[in-house]
Every structure is written in C-alpha cells, then in structure tokens.
Amino acid sequence: GAVVSQHPSRVICKSGTSVKIECRSLDFQATTMFWYRQFPKQSLMLMATSNEGSKATYEQGVEKDKFLINHASLTLSTLTVTSAHPEDSSFYICSAGVWDQPQHFGDGTRLSIL
Amino acid sequence: SQKIEQNSEALNIQEGKTATLTCNYTNYSPAYLQWYRQDPGRGPVFLLLIRENEKEKRKERLKVTFDTTLKQSLFHITASQPADSATYLCALGSRGFKTIFGAGTRLFVKA
C-alpha cells in the first residue's frame, strides 16, 4: 500500500530554533499533502494543505509566517516551524491523499521546545 | 459549526467479545466517513471507508455502519484481540471541504 515517510520522528530543541519536518510519499505522487497538529487525547487539527508547485492553503488561526510549508516536488512537502517556542510543542503529522480516498499518514514528529 | 463526537471514555472489553465504537456528527452532510486506527506516538492507519449511499461495509473482523438519518456511524470489531487495543478515529469528508476528525475512542482488549 501507499507509504508516507515523515522525518524526524522526534525533535528536542531550544526556544528560538527553527525546525524543519519532512514528509515524503515513497511510492506514489502526491500533488496534495496535509499537515496536522495533535494534542494529547484530542483530534487531528488541520493546519494547512500543501499543494505541489503553489502556495499552501492555511487554516484559520494558523500563522503562515510561523509555519512555513514548501511542496517543491510531487513526493516531498516540508513544514518549518520558525523561531519555535514552548507553546509550539506538539505532535505534527502529515498525510497525502485525494478527497474521497483514504489518507496515508506519516508516523508523526514529536516536537519539544525547551 | 461542524462537530464529531466519539466516546471520550475508554472502552474496556474482554478478548473474544465484540467491540462497538460510536461516531456521531452534527451540522455536516458527509459524502463519506472513514475509520482509522492510531497507536500511541504513531500516525493514523486507514481501516475502512463508507460512502453516504452505503449502509454497511465489512472487512475481515471489522464492520462499519452509516446512518445518515441518525448522523451516526458504528464501528464493530468482532472476536476482539489484545492486539486490537488502540485509539480509533472517525473522519468525515465531502467534496470541496476538508476532512474533519473526531478525537477518537481508546479501546483496551483484555486477555
């Protein structure tokens, strides 16, 4: 089946650091990828939709200058958390898929900002 | 606003029994509904998709029902096993709208 690889799986860094998370579709081309944030015991909250070759679409309340998304190829989307602070600590997950088909998720990145 | 409700209380059942999880929604007319499994520290894994014109879908020990009148889906795992212990998420989708996820129900299957 379709595989999505997300890297790194865990990041611990100091406040003020920028962190880049990669999401790759290994065996299919993904024109659209999604970035989610998940807090403990809560649902996946969509942050943005990443479109290959064009600007990402951000959900209301998500700062686009804070969470930079780049989707330069059909197999790679990146999320950069700029100048991260403790409140940005969370579990970030990417997925790929079209609207009426199953979403294929990466294994997530646990981000801890000290 | 659109809302999905799943039992926030964990479901504890004995091995071999049938687990039934509920997903209710409001202010939404989904074209389809999906169920995912999520293990701690991992991304969700797709299990089943059922469309608005379908009443029931089965896959091995899994069964999903979809009642658009009640705005409810039931997810059944028959002959449950300890390995089925996980969090199960339901998700709703429709053309032109983002997929929205419930918070999930934690299932514990005791040997």
Side-chain angles (χ1 to χ4, degrees):
Chain A
V3 178
V4 172
S5 174
Q6 187 172 341
H7 178 80
S9 59
R10 186 175 181 91
V11 180
I12 302 173
C13 57
K14 295 180 179 180
S15 185
T17 306
S18 291
V19 178
K20 179 186 282 188
I21 302 169
E22 293 187 348
C23 182
R24 294 180 185 273
S25 57
L26 298 183
D27 54 357
F28 66 102
Q29 294 182 332
T31 55
T32 303
M33 290 186 175
F34 304 93
W35 287 96
Y36 295 88
R37 185 172 180 176
Q38 187 178 35
F39 292 103
K41 298 185 179 181
Q42 294 189 26
S43 64
L44 296 167
M45 297 302 298
L46 181 65
M47 298 174 64
T49 301
S50 172
N51 303 297
E52 187 269 333
S54 64
K55 291 183 179 180
T57 303
Y58 289 82
E59 294 299 304
Q60 189 174 10
V62 178
E63 299 177 56
K64 61 180 180 180
D65 295 330
K66 174 76 171 177
F67 299 99
L68 299 178
I69 291 173
N70 184 279
H71 194 156
S73 77
L74 287 171
T75 59
L76 174 64
S77 175
T78 61
L79 168 68
T80 301
V81 184
T82 62
S83 187
H85 290 94
E87 59 266 29
D88 298 322
S89 299
S90 190
F91 191 53
Y92 293 87
I93 311 176
C94 69
S95 75
V98 295
W99 77 276
D100 68 340
Q101 297 297 317
Q103 289 292 312
H104 304 287
F105 287 87
D107 263 343
T109 298
R110 173 72 59 192
L111 177 61
S112 300
I113 307 299
L114 305 178
Chain B
S1 61
Q2 301 157 350
K3 192 174 181 181
I4 299 178
E5 291 184 355
Q6 295 186 254
N7 289 346
S8 58
E9 297 288 324
L11 179 62
N12 291 279
I13 64 168
Q14 198 67 35
E15 182 178 13
K17 300 294 185 183
T18 296
T20 298
L21 286 69
T22 305
C23 176
N24 295 296
Y25 60 93
T26 56
N27 298 323
Y28 202 101
S29 294
Y32 61 89
L33 185 148
Q34 301 178 29
W35 283 89
Y36 290 82
R37 169 184 173 141
Q38 186 174 24
D39 291 287
R42 306 293 296 273
V45 174
F46 170 77
L47 296 175
L48 281 168
L49 180 151
I50 186 166
R51 301 187 186 279
E52 60 179 334
N53 60 346
E54 299 175 311
K55 296 293 185 183
E56 184 179 297
K57 188 77 77 75
R58 293 175 184 261
K59 179 182 177 183
E60 298 174 351
R61 294 185 294 113
L62 309 180
K63 185 179 84 171
V64 171
T65 63
F66 192 11
D67 189 324
T68 56
T69 300
L70 292 178
K71 294 186 180 296
Q72 181 182 78
S73 174
L74 298 179
F75 176 76
H76 306 273
I77 305 175
T78 58
S80 59
Q81 305 165 0
D84 295 326
S85 299
T87 296
Y88 291 86
L89 311 175
C90 74
L92 304 179
S94 190
R95 180 179 285 280
F97 295 91
K98 64 182 180 182
T99 299
I100 55 174
F101 288 82
T105 298
R106 188 84 171 93
L107 172 67
F108 293 96
V109 181
K110 294 184 291 185

